[in-house]
Amino acid sequence: MKLIATIYYNYYLFYRYILKDDEPHLLTTLALSSSFWFVLQFLVRLGFINLYCDSPNI
């Protein structure tokens, strides 16, 4: 849980101070969810390739 909070805080600081966005919480939430989606998608594809020796048609 601390890892997710740390990643969230770093994204939040990036959107708030570097990009100076009006709504940093929304963009932070979207960036965090898409980051976890990319990791999950990578693991699913890797498992599919290991099981069936073929790439999925996603």
Side-chain angles (χ1 to χ4, degrees):
M1 192 68 180
K2 287 185 180 183
L3 178 65
I4 296 172
T6 304
I7 295 171
Y8 174 85
Y9 185 67
N10 285 326
Y11 279 152
Y12 182 79
L13 290 178
F14 174 75
Y15 284 117
R16 182 167 179 157
Y17 294 114
I18 295 177
L19 294 182
K20 299 188 186 323
D21 191 62
D22 295 337
E23 195 66 39
H25 176 70
L26 175 66
L27 290 176
T28 301
T29 306
L30 292 174
L32 189 64
S33 63
S34 65
S35 296
F36 282 113
W37 172 248
F38 291 140
V39 170
L40 180 65
Q41 186 179 13
F42 172 74
L43 292 175
V44 166
R45 287 178 182 244
L46 189 64
F48 191 91
I49 289 170
N50 281 338
L51 286 175
Y52 300 111
C53 296
D54 192 16
S55 68
N57 295 329
I58 298 176

